[in-house]
Amino acid sequence: GDSVTQMEGPVTLSEEAFLTINCTYTATGYPSLFWYVQYPGEGLQLLLKATKADDKGSNKGFEATYRKETTSFHLEKGSVQVSDSAVYFCALNYGGATNKLIFGTGTLLAVQP
Amino acid sequence: DAGVIQSPRHEVTEMGQEVTLRCKPISGHDYLFWYRQTMMRGLELLIYFNNNVPIDDSGMPEDRFSAKMPNASFSTLKIQPSEPRDSAVYFCASRSTGGFSYGYTFGSGTRLTVV
């Protein structure tokens, strides 16, 4: 079945370091891909998305490119801040009859000053 | 728009008691989803509705769990009787029919503690 695999956390970085959080997926069709962020004590917020191969989603300095050939959607940011500390979830879904948003297990990012 | 609204934010109850969690989706959204989040199992989809009709409840863990959506602006998730292993954060999310490529909008969640 369809699934999403994320790198294990926690990821601990110093402020202004480069961030990569790996995400790969298994899907039978052509899903849309998402990154969600969850700050402590809050719900999930959509961070960015990509709907087809080679699309790049970007928001708040974060980027991810939909790579069909490697079935990946890695999250990157050039310079992290303490305020980026949160749990990041990679997810996929399809339209039509299959409506489930399938999440990865989440990756905790801790940015130290 | 106020977003997806869940209540209560926190609930502490004793084992064996009935618990009811509430959700108001975004107006105009015709899909509503209930998720449960725990450290051990991550985010699990429990059930989802389309136009107030339950479509897939395969994620509901036991008969102790039930969900309803009496109208387009309100849904409940009930646990009766509650058990300590039900302790988790429960999220409600909604989206519109054409909005699958735009992701879901999540509520702030209800943190349930069963003692």
Side-chain angles (χ1 to χ4, degrees):
Chain A
D2 300 333
S3 65
V4 175
T5 302
Q6 289 183 237
M7 64 187 289
E8 292 283 334
V11 174
T12 303
L13 297 174
S14 298
E15 207 164 23
E16 299 184 3
F18 184 86
L19 168 71
T20 300
I21 299 178
N22 290 337
C23 170
T24 57
Y25 66 91
T26 301
T28 53
Y30 302 96
S32 291
L33 301 175
F34 307 86
W35 277 101
Y36 280 82
V37 59
Q38 184 179 29
Y39 298 103
E42 299 185 12
L44 281 74
Q45 302 173 26
L46 179 63
L47 179 60
L48 55 83
K49 65 176 176 70
T51 58
K52 61 183 187 296
D54 300 325
D55 268 3
K56 177 185 284 188
S58 61
N59 186 26
K60 299 181 181 179
F62 291 89
E63 294 183 339
T65 301
Y66 189 165
R67 300 287 189 199
K68 181 170 175 286
E69 64 275 13
T70 55
T71 62
S72 64
F73 193 55
H74 304 321
L75 182 68
E76 297 182 336
K77 186 176 186 182
S79 176
V80 294
Q81 305 300 312
V82 172
S83 58
D84 294 326
S85 298
V87 180
Y88 292 81
F89 292 90
C90 186
L92 67 82
N93 83 341
Y94 301 90
T98 306
N99 281 287
K100 296 180 182 181
L101 187 60
I102 299 170
F103 286 97
T105 52
T107 301
L108 174 63
L109 170 65
V111 180
Q112 299 175 337
Chain B
D1 196 321
V4 176
I5 299 173
Q6 292 187 245
S7 64
R9 286 298 307 272
H10 302 275
E11 177 80 37
V12 180
T13 190
E14 292 185 346
M15 183 173 62
Q17 296 298 305
E18 178 180 295
V19 176
T20 299
L21 312 182
R22 297 172 176 79
C23 175
K24 175 179 168 58
I26 289 175
S27 177
H29 281 190
D30 49 0
Y31 283 92
L32 183 140
F33 305 80
W34 282 100
Y35 282 86
R36 178 172 68 174
Q37 185 180 37
T38 61
M39 289 295 293
M40 291 298 295
R41 301 174 70 91
L43 276 162
E44 302 173 275
L45 176 63
L46 300 178
I47 185 172
Y48 78 90
F49 296 83
N50 178 218
N51 291 323
N52 314 334
V53 176
I55 303 300
D56 185 348
D57 65 354
S58 60
M60 296 286 262
E62 300 171 34
D63 291 345
R64 299 184 295 107
F65 286 70
S66 62
K68 294 182 180 179
M69 192 166 186
N71 57 62
S73 58
F74 184 65
S75 177
T76 59
L77 178 68
K78 184 178 295 186
I79 308 172
Q80 166 64 17
S82 58
E83 297 183 3
R85 59 193 168 119
D86 302 331
S87 298
V89 181
Y90 291 82
F91 288 104
C92 177
S94 70
R95 74 158 175 85
S96 60
T97 296
F100 78 92
S101 63
Y102 297 94
Y104 301 2
T105 300
F106 281 78
S108 298
T110 295
R111 181 174 295 277
L112 173 65
T113 303
V114 183
V115 298

Short mmCIF file of all heavy atoms in Angstrom, two decimals, chain A residues 30-32 34 36 38 41-46 49 51 87 89 93-105, chain B residues 9 31 33 35 37 41-43 45 48 55-56 58 89 91 95 97 99-109 111:
data_model
loop_
_atom_site.label_atom_id
_atom_site.label_comp_id
_atom_site.label_asym_id
_atom_site.label_seq_id
_atom_site.Cartn_x
_atom_site.Cartn_y
_atom_site.Cartn_z
N TYR A 30 -0.12 8.85 -8.74
CA TYR A 30 0.60 10.12 -8.75
C TYR A 30 -0.01 11.03 -7.70
O TYR A 30 -0.90 11.84 -8.00
CB TYR A 30 0.52 10.73 -10.14
CG TYR A 30 1.10 9.82 -11.19
CD1 TYR A 30 0.30 8.98 -11.94
CD2 TYR A 30 2.48 9.77 -11.39
CE1 TYR A 30 0.84 8.13 -12.88
CE2 TYR A 30 3.03 8.92 -12.33
CZ TYR A 30 2.21 8.09 -13.07
OH TYR A 30 2.74 7.25 -13.99
N PRO A 31 0.49 10.89 -6.48
CA PRO A 31 -0.12 11.65 -5.38
C PRO A 31 0.35 13.10 -5.35
O PRO A 31 1.30 13.47 -6.05
CB PRO A 31 0.40 10.92 -4.14
CG PRO A 31 1.74 10.41 -4.57
CD PRO A 31 1.58 10.03 -6.02
N SER A 32 -0.33 13.89 -4.56
CA SER A 32 0.19 15.18 -4.14
C SER A 32 1.00 14.95 -2.87
O SER A 32 0.70 14.06 -2.08
CB SER A 32 -0.96 16.16 -3.86
OG SER A 32 -1.62 16.51 -5.06
N PHE A 34 3.08 16.68 0.59
CA PHE A 34 2.98 17.80 1.52
C PHE A 34 4.03 17.70 2.62
O PHE A 34 4.48 16.60 2.96
CB PHE A 34 1.60 17.80 2.21
CG PHE A 34 0.42 17.76 1.28
CD1 PHE A 34 -0.07 16.56 0.81
CD2 PHE A 34 -0.19 18.94 0.88
CE1 PHE A 34 -1.16 16.51 -0.05
CE2 PHE A 34 -1.27 18.90 0.02
CZ PHE A 34 -1.75 17.69 -0.45
N TYR A 36 3.95 19.12 6.56
CA TYR A 36 3.22 19.79 7.63
C TYR A 36 4.20 20.04 8.78
O TYR A 36 5.14 19.28 8.99
CB TYR A 36 2.07 18.94 8.15
CG TYR A 36 0.84 18.97 7.29
CD1 TYR A 36 0.73 18.18 6.15
CD2 TYR A 36 -0.23 19.80 7.61
CE1 TYR A 36 -0.40 18.21 5.36
CE2 TYR A 36 -1.37 19.84 6.82
CZ TYR A 36 -1.45 19.04 5.70
OH TYR A 36 -2.57 19.08 4.91
N GLN A 38 4.32 20.94 13.05
CA GLN A 38 3.57 20.98 14.30
C GLN A 38 4.45 21.60 15.38
O GLN A 38 5.44 21.00 15.81
CB GLN A 38 3.13 19.57 14.72
CG GLN A 38 2.26 19.55 15.96
CD GLN A 38 1.82 18.14 16.35
OE1 GLN A 38 2.51 17.16 16.09
NE2 GLN A 38 0.65 18.03 16.97
N GLY A 41 2.48 21.90 21.33
CA GLY A 41 1.15 22.18 21.86
C GLY A 41 0.13 22.63 20.84
O GLY A 41 -0.98 23.04 21.20
N GLU A 42 0.48 22.56 19.57
CA GLU A 42 -0.43 23.04 18.54
C GLU A 42 -0.79 21.93 17.56
O GLU A 42 -0.23 20.83 17.58
CB GLU A 42 0.20 24.20 17.78
CG GLU A 42 0.50 25.41 18.66
CD GLU A 42 1.02 26.58 17.85
OE1 GLU A 42 0.94 26.55 16.61
OE2 GLU A 42 1.51 27.53 18.48
N GLY A 43 -1.75 22.23 16.67
CA GLY A 43 -2.12 21.31 15.61
C GLY A 43 -1.15 21.39 14.45
O GLY A 43 -0.20 22.15 14.46
N LEU A 44 -1.43 20.59 13.42
CA LEU A 44 -0.57 20.58 12.25
C LEU A 44 -0.93 21.73 11.31
O LEU A 44 -2.10 22.02 11.10
CB LEU A 44 -0.73 19.26 11.49
CG LEU A 44 0.01 18.06 12.05
CD1 LEU A 44 -0.65 17.53 13.30
CD2 LEU A 44 0.09 16.95 11.00
N GLN A 45 0.10 22.33 10.75
CA GLN A 45 -0.10 23.40 9.79
C GLN A 45 0.56 23.01 8.47
O GLN A 45 1.68 22.49 8.48
CB GLN A 45 0.54 24.70 10.28
CG GLN A 45 0.03 25.19 11.61
CD GLN A 45 0.83 26.39 12.09
OE1 GLN A 45 1.41 27.13 11.29
NE2 GLN A 45 0.88 26.58 13.40
N LEU A 46 -0.10 23.30 7.38
CA LEU A 46 0.49 23.03 6.08
C LEU A 46 1.68 23.96 5.86
O LEU A 46 1.54 25.19 5.96
CB LEU A 46 -0.54 23.21 4.98
CG LEU A 46 -0.06 22.98 3.55
CD1 LEU A 46 0.38 21.53 3.36
CD2 LEU A 46 -1.16 23.34 2.55
N LYS A 49 3.61 22.37 -0.39
CA LYS A 49 3.05 21.24 -1.12
C LYS A 49 3.58 21.23 -2.54
O LYS A 49 4.09 22.24 -3.04
CB LYS A 49 1.53 21.34 -1.16
CG LYS A 49 1.00 22.55 -1.94
CD LYS A 49 -0.49 22.56 -2.03
CE LYS A 49 -1.00 23.82 -2.73
NZ LYS A 49 -0.67 23.82 -4.17
N THR A 51 2.21 19.19 -6.34
CA THR A 51 1.15 18.35 -6.88
C THR A 51 1.58 17.47 -8.04
O THR A 51 0.86 16.56 -8.42
CB THR A 51 -0.04 19.21 -7.32
OG1 THR A 51 0.41 20.14 -8.31
CG2 THR A 51 -0.62 19.97 -6.14
N VAL A 87 8.00 19.64 15.06
CA VAL A 87 7.95 18.31 14.43
C VAL A 87 7.46 18.50 13.00
O VAL A 87 6.46 19.19 12.77
CB VAL A 87 7.03 17.34 15.18
CG1 VAL A 87 7.01 15.98 14.48
CG2 VAL A 87 7.49 17.19 16.63
N PHE A 89 6.19 16.75 9.42
CA PHE A 89 5.57 15.56 8.87
C PHE A 89 5.50 15.63 7.35
O PHE A 89 5.02 16.62 6.79
CB PHE A 89 4.13 15.40 9.39
CG PHE A 89 4.01 15.11 10.85
CD1 PHE A 89 3.92 16.14 11.77
CD2 PHE A 89 3.98 13.81 11.31
CE1 PHE A 89 3.80 15.89 13.13
CE2 PHE A 89 3.85 13.53 12.66
CZ PHE A 89 3.76 14.56 13.56
N ASN A 93 -1.39 12.42 -0.51
CA ASN A 93 -2.76 11.96 -0.73
C ASN A 93 -3.13 12.09 -2.20
O ASN A 93 -2.39 12.68 -3.00
CB ASN A 93 -3.77 12.66 0.18
CG ASN A 93 -4.24 14.00 -0.33
OD1 ASN A 93 -3.60 14.62 -1.17
ND2 ASN A 93 -5.36 14.44 0.19
N TYR A 94 -4.27 11.47 -2.50
CA TYR A 94 -4.83 11.52 -3.84
C TYR A 94 -6.19 12.18 -3.78
O TYR A 94 -6.80 12.26 -2.74
CB TYR A 94 -5.06 10.11 -4.38
CG TYR A 94 -3.86 9.23 -4.47
CD1 TYR A 94 -3.51 8.42 -3.40
CD2 TYR A 94 -3.09 9.17 -5.62
CE1 TYR A 94 -2.42 7.57 -3.47
CE2 TYR A 94 -2.01 8.33 -5.71
CZ TYR A 94 -1.67 7.53 -4.64
OH TYR A 94 -0.59 6.69 -4.73
N GLY A 95 -6.68 12.61 -4.87
CA GLY A 95 -8.05 13.07 -4.94
C GLY A 95 -8.97 11.91 -5.23
O GLY A 95 -8.59 10.76 -5.10
N GLY A 96 -10.17 12.22 -5.63
CA GLY A 96 -11.12 11.19 -6.03
C GLY A 96 -11.55 10.34 -4.86
O GLY A 96 -11.76 10.83 -3.76
N ALA A 97 -11.66 9.04 -5.08
CA ALA A 97 -12.22 8.15 -4.08
C ALA A 97 -11.28 7.90 -2.91
O ALA A 97 -11.71 7.51 -1.84
CB ALA A 97 -12.60 6.82 -4.72
N THR A 98 -10.00 8.10 -3.13
CA THR A 98 -9.05 7.83 -2.05
C THR A 98 -8.69 9.15 -1.39
O THR A 98 -7.93 9.92 -1.94
CB THR A 98 -7.78 7.15 -2.61
OG1 THR A 98 -8.16 6.01 -3.34
CG2 THR A 98 -6.85 6.76 -1.48
N ASN A 99 -9.21 9.35 -0.21
CA ASN A 99 -9.06 10.66 0.42
C ASN A 99 -8.12 10.70 1.59
O ASN A 99 -7.92 11.73 2.19
CB ASN A 99 -10.42 11.15 0.87
CG ASN A 99 -11.19 11.72 -0.29
OD1 ASN A 99 -10.88 12.79 -0.77
ND2 ASN A 99 -12.17 10.98 -0.74
N LYS A 100 -7.52 9.57 1.91
CA LYS A 100 -6.71 9.54 3.12
C LYS A 100 -5.43 10.33 2.91
O LYS A 100 -4.74 10.19 1.91
CB LYS A 100 -6.35 8.10 3.48
CG LYS A 100 -7.55 7.25 3.83
CD LYS A 100 -7.11 5.85 4.18
CE LYS A 100 -8.33 4.98 4.49
NZ LYS A 100 -7.93 3.61 4.87
N LEU A 101 -5.11 11.15 3.89
CA LEU A 101 -3.83 11.84 3.94
C LEU A 101 -2.91 10.93 4.74
O LEU A 101 -3.13 10.72 5.93
CB LEU A 101 -3.98 13.20 4.60
CG LEU A 101 -2.78 14.14 4.60
CD1 LEU A 101 -2.34 14.46 3.19
CD2 LEU A 101 -3.12 15.41 5.36
N ILE A 102 -1.90 10.38 4.08
CA ILE A 102 -1.02 9.40 4.71
C ILE A 102 0.22 10.11 5.20
O ILE A 102 0.94 10.73 4.40
CB ILE A 102 -0.67 8.28 3.72
CG1 ILE A 102 -1.97 7.56 3.29
CG2 ILE A 102 0.31 7.30 4.34
CD1 ILE A 102 -1.77 6.61 2.15
N PHE A 103 0.49 10.00 6.49
CA PHE A 103 1.60 10.71 7.11
C PHE A 103 2.79 9.80 7.35
O PHE A 103 2.65 8.60 7.60
CB PHE A 103 1.17 11.26 8.48
CG PHE A 103 0.28 12.45 8.41
CD1 PHE A 103 -1.09 12.30 8.51
CD2 PHE A 103 0.81 13.72 8.26
CE1 PHE A 103 -1.92 13.40 8.46
CE2 PHE A 103 -0.01 14.83 8.20
CZ PHE A 103 -1.39 14.67 8.30
N GLY A 104 3.97 10.40 7.31
CA GLY A 104 5.14 9.77 7.87
C GLY A 104 5.10 9.88 9.38
O GLY A 104 4.17 10.46 9.96
N THR A 105 6.11 9.36 10.03
CA THR A 105 6.12 9.31 11.50
C THR A 105 6.51 10.62 12.15
O THR A 105 6.38 10.77 13.35
CB THR A 105 7.09 8.22 11.98
OG1 THR A 105 8.35 8.43 11.36
CG2 THR A 105 6.57 6.84 11.63
N ARG B 9 -10.06 21.69 24.68
CA ARG B 9 -8.64 21.61 24.37
C ARG B 9 -7.96 20.53 25.20
O ARG B 9 -7.05 19.86 24.74
CB ARG B 9 -7.94 22.96 24.62
CG ARG B 9 -8.23 24.03 23.58
CD ARG B 9 -7.75 23.62 22.18
NE ARG B 9 -6.35 23.22 22.14
CZ ARG B 9 -5.34 24.05 21.96
NH1 ARG B 9 -5.54 25.34 21.86
NH2 ARG B 9 -4.09 23.59 21.90
N TYR B 31 -15.45 17.44 3.55
CA TYR B 31 -14.77 16.27 4.12
C TYR B 31 -14.31 16.61 5.53
O TYR B 31 -13.76 17.70 5.77
CB TYR B 31 -13.55 15.88 3.29
CG TYR B 31 -13.87 15.16 2.01
CD1 TYR B 31 -14.05 15.85 0.82
CD2 TYR B 31 -14.00 13.78 2.00
CE1 TYR B 31 -14.34 15.19 -0.35
CE2 TYR B 31 -14.30 13.10 0.83
CZ TYR B 31 -14.47 13.81 -0.34
OH TYR B 31 -14.77 13.16 -1.50
N PHE B 33 -12.23 14.73 8.93
CA PHE B 33 -11.37 13.62 9.33
C PHE B 33 -11.09 13.70 10.82
O PHE B 33 -10.89 14.78 11.36
CB PHE B 33 -10.03 13.68 8.58
CG PHE B 33 -10.16 13.74 7.08
CD1 PHE B 33 -10.45 14.93 6.44
CD2 PHE B 33 -9.99 12.59 6.33
CE1 PHE B 33 -10.57 14.99 5.06
CE2 PHE B 33 -10.11 12.64 4.94
CZ PHE B 33 -10.39 13.84 4.31
N TYR B 35 -8.28 12.23 13.51
CA TYR B 35 -6.98 11.58 13.68
C TYR B 35 -6.67 11.47 15.17
O TYR B 35 -7.11 12.28 15.98
CB TYR B 35 -5.86 12.40 13.03
CG TYR B 35 -5.76 12.29 11.54
CD1 TYR B 35 -6.53 13.11 10.71
CD2 TYR B 35 -4.87 11.40 10.95
CE1 TYR B 35 -6.42 13.03 9.33
CE2 TYR B 35 -4.76 11.30 9.57
CZ TYR B 35 -5.53 12.12 8.77
OH TYR B 35 -5.42 12.03 7.40
N GLN B 37 -3.18 11.04 17.71
CA GLN B 37 -1.72 11.13 17.73
C GLN B 37 -1.19 10.64 19.07
O GLN B 37 -1.56 11.15 20.12
CB GLN B 37 -1.25 12.56 17.47
CG GLN B 37 0.26 12.69 17.36
CD GLN B 37 0.70 14.12 17.09
OE1 GLN B 37 0.13 15.08 17.61
NE2 GLN B 37 1.72 14.28 16.25
N ARG B 41 2.43 5.45 18.14
CA ARG B 41 1.81 5.11 16.86
C ARG B 41 1.75 6.28 15.88
O ARG B 41 1.30 6.11 14.74
CB ARG B 41 0.42 4.55 17.09
CG ARG B 41 0.40 3.31 17.98
CD ARG B 41 -1.04 2.89 18.30
NE ARG B 41 -1.70 2.37 17.11
CZ ARG B 41 -1.70 1.08 16.77
NH1 ARG B 41 -1.07 0.21 17.51
NH2 ARG B 41 -2.33 0.68 15.67
N GLY B 42 2.21 7.46 16.31
CA GLY B 42 2.17 8.60 15.41
C GLY B 42 0.75 9.04 15.13
O GLY B 42 -0.12 8.94 16.00
N LEU B 43 0.50 9.52 13.91
CA LEU B 43 -0.82 10.00 13.51
C LEU B 43 -1.59 8.87 12.85
O LEU B 43 -1.17 8.32 11.84
CB LEU B 43 -0.68 11.15 12.52
CG LEU B 43 -0.46 12.53 13.12
CD1 LEU B 43 0.09 13.47 12.08
CD2 LEU B 43 -1.75 13.08 13.69
N LEU B 45 -5.36 7.81 11.21
CA LEU B 45 -6.69 8.22 10.77
C LEU B 45 -7.72 7.27 11.37
O LEU B 45 -7.64 6.06 11.16
CB LEU B 45 -6.77 8.18 9.24
CG LEU B 45 -8.14 8.49 8.64
CD1 LEU B 45 -8.55 9.93 8.97
CD2 LEU B 45 -8.12 8.28 7.14
N TYR B 48 -13.36 9.08 8.47
CA TYR B 48 -13.63 10.33 7.79
C TYR B 48 -15.02 10.33 7.18
O TYR B 48 -15.59 9.26 6.88
CB TYR B 48 -12.56 10.70 6.76
CG TYR B 48 -12.58 9.98 5.43
CD1 TYR B 48 -13.30 10.48 4.36
CD2 TYR B 48 -11.80 8.85 5.25
CE1 TYR B 48 -13.28 9.85 3.13
CE2 TYR B 48 -11.78 8.20 4.02
CZ TYR B 48 -12.49 8.71 2.96
OH TYR B 48 -12.47 8.08 1.74
N ILE B 55 -17.46 7.50 5.58
CA ILE B 55 -16.97 6.81 4.39
C ILE B 55 -16.04 5.65 4.74
O ILE B 55 -16.11 4.58 4.15
CB ILE B 55 -16.25 7.78 3.44
CG1 ILE B 55 -17.18 8.94 3.04
CG2 ILE B 55 -15.74 7.04 2.21
CD1 ILE B 55 -18.44 8.50 2.33
N ASP B 56 -15.15 5.88 5.67
CA ASP B 56 -14.17 4.87 6.04
C ASP B 56 -13.92 4.96 7.54
O ASP B 56 -13.36 5.95 8.00
CB ASP B 56 -12.87 5.09 5.26
CG ASP B 56 -11.84 4.00 5.52
OD1 ASP B 56 -12.01 3.19 6.45
OD2 ASP B 56 -10.84 3.96 4.78
N SER B 58 -12.39 2.33 9.15
CA SER B 58 -11.52 1.18 9.40
C SER B 58 -10.45 1.46 10.44
O SER B 58 -9.86 0.54 10.99
CB SER B 58 -10.87 0.71 8.10
OG SER B 58 -10.10 1.74 7.52
N VAL B 89 -3.67 12.76 21.77
CA VAL B 89 -4.21 14.00 21.23
C VAL B 89 -5.06 13.63 20.02
O VAL B 89 -4.59 12.93 19.12
CB VAL B 89 -3.10 14.98 20.82
CG1 VAL B 89 -3.72 16.28 20.29
CG2 VAL B 89 -2.19 15.29 22.01
N PHE B 91 -7.15 14.92 16.78
CA PHE B 91 -7.25 16.04 15.86
C PHE B 91 -8.42 15.84 14.91
O PHE B 91 -8.69 14.73 14.45
CB PHE B 91 -5.98 16.18 15.03
CG PHE B 91 -4.80 16.68 15.78
CD1 PHE B 91 -3.79 15.82 16.17
CD2 PHE B 91 -4.67 18.03 16.09
CE1 PHE B 91 -2.69 16.27 16.87
CE2 PHE B 91 -3.58 18.50 16.79
CZ PHE B 91 -2.58 17.62 17.18
N ARG B 95 -11.48 19.48 4.65
CA ARG B 95 -11.07 20.02 3.36
C ARG B 95 -12.28 19.99 2.43
O ARG B 95 -13.28 19.35 2.69
CB ARG B 95 -9.92 19.25 2.76
CG ARG B 95 -10.24 17.88 2.20
CD ARG B 95 -9.17 17.47 1.18
NE ARG B 95 -9.34 16.12 0.68
CZ ARG B 95 -10.13 15.81 -0.34
NH1 ARG B 95 -10.85 16.73 -0.96
NH2 ARG B 95 -10.21 14.57 -0.77
N THR B 97 -14.00 19.37 -1.52
CA THR B 97 -13.91 18.31 -2.53
C THR B 97 -12.79 18.53 -3.52
O THR B 97 -12.04 17.64 -3.85
CB THR B 97 -15.24 18.21 -3.31
OG1 THR B 97 -16.26 17.81 -2.40
CG2 THR B 97 -15.14 17.18 -4.43
N GLY B 99 -10.18 20.24 -3.08
CA GLY B 99 -9.00 20.75 -2.40
C GLY B 99 -7.98 19.73 -2.00
O GLY B 99 -7.14 19.97 -1.15
N PHE B 100 -7.99 18.54 -2.61
CA PHE B 100 -7.05 17.52 -2.16
C PHE B 100 -5.61 17.95 -2.38
O PHE B 100 -4.71 17.58 -1.63
CB PHE B 100 -7.32 16.18 -2.84
CG PHE B 100 -6.81 16.10 -4.26
CD1 PHE B 100 -5.55 15.61 -4.54
CD2 PHE B 100 -7.60 16.52 -5.32
CE1 PHE B 100 -5.08 15.53 -5.84
CE2 PHE B 100 -7.14 16.45 -6.62
CZ PHE B 100 -5.87 15.95 -6.88
N SER B 101 -5.38 18.76 -3.39
CA SER B 101 -4.02 19.19 -3.63
C SER B 101 -3.63 20.37 -2.75
O SER B 101 -2.52 20.87 -2.82
CB SER B 101 -3.83 19.56 -5.10
OG SER B 101 -4.66 20.66 -5.43
N TYR B 102 -4.54 20.83 -1.94
CA TYR B 102 -4.27 21.93 -1.03
C TYR B 102 -4.14 21.47 0.40
O TYR B 102 -4.01 22.28 1.29
CB TYR B 102 -5.36 23.00 -1.15
CG TYR B 102 -5.38 23.61 -2.53
CD1 TYR B 102 -6.22 23.12 -3.51
CD2 TYR B 102 -4.54 24.66 -2.85
CE1 TYR B 102 -6.22 23.66 -4.78
CE2 TYR B 102 -4.54 25.22 -4.11
CZ TYR B 102 -5.39 24.71 -5.07
OH TYR B 102 -5.38 25.25 -6.32
N GLY B 103 -4.16 20.19 0.63
CA GLY B 103 -3.99 19.68 1.97
C GLY B 103 -5.23 19.85 2.81
O GLY B 103 -6.28 20.28 2.33
N TYR B 104 -5.10 19.52 4.03
CA TYR B 104 -6.19 19.62 4.99
C TYR B 104 -5.91 20.76 5.95
O TYR B 104 -4.77 21.13 6.17
CB TYR B 104 -6.31 18.35 5.83
CG TYR B 104 -6.55 17.05 5.08
CD1 TYR B 104 -6.63 16.97 3.70
CD2 TYR B 104 -6.71 15.88 5.81
CE1 TYR B 104 -6.84 15.76 3.07
CE2 TYR B 104 -6.91 14.66 5.19
CZ TYR B 104 -6.99 14.61 3.82
OH TYR B 104 -7.20 13.41 3.20
N THR B 105 -6.97 21.24 6.58
CA THR B 105 -6.82 22.21 7.67
C THR B 105 -7.13 21.49 8.96
O THR B 105 -8.21 20.91 9.11
CB THR B 105 -7.78 23.40 7.48
OG1 THR B 105 -7.50 24.04 6.24
CG2 THR B 105 -7.58 24.40 8.61
N PHE B 106 -6.18 21.54 9.88
CA PHE B 106 -6.32 20.84 11.15
C PHE B 106 -6.77 21.79 12.25
O PHE B 106 -6.41 22.97 12.26
CB PHE B 106 -4.99 20.21 11.57
CG PHE B 106 -4.68 18.93 10.86
CD1 PHE B 106 -4.20 18.94 9.57
CD2 PHE B 106 -4.87 17.71 11.49
CE1 PHE B 106 -3.92 17.77 8.89
CE2 PHE B 106 -4.59 16.53 10.83
CZ PHE B 106 -4.11 16.56 9.53
N GLY B 107 -7.52 21.24 13.19
CA GLY B 107 -7.81 21.94 14.43
C GLY B 107 -6.62 21.86 15.37
O GLY B 107 -5.61 21.21 15.07
N SER B 108 -6.75 22.51 16.52
CA SER B 108 -5.66 22.55 17.50
C SER B 108 -5.58 21.29 18.35
O SER B 108 -4.63 21.13 19.10
CB SER B 108 -5.81 23.77 18.40
OG SER B 108 -5.73 24.95 17.63
N GLY B 109 -6.59 20.43 18.23
CA GLY B 109 -6.54 19.16 18.92
C GLY B 109 -7.16 19.18 20.31
O GLY B 109 -7.31 20.24 20.92
N ARG B 111 -6.40 17.24 23.88
CA ARG B 111 -5.51 16.33 24.61
C ARG B 111 -6.33 15.59 25.65
O ARG B 111 -6.83 16.20 26.59
CB ARG B 111 -4.37 17.10 25.26
CG ARG B 111 -3.40 16.19 26.02
CD ARG B 111 -2.20 16.98 26.54
NE ARG B 111 -1.38 17.51 25.47
CZ ARG B 111 -0.45 16.83 24.82
NH1 ARG B 111 -0.22 15.56 25.15
NH2 ARG B 111 0.26 17.41 23.87
#
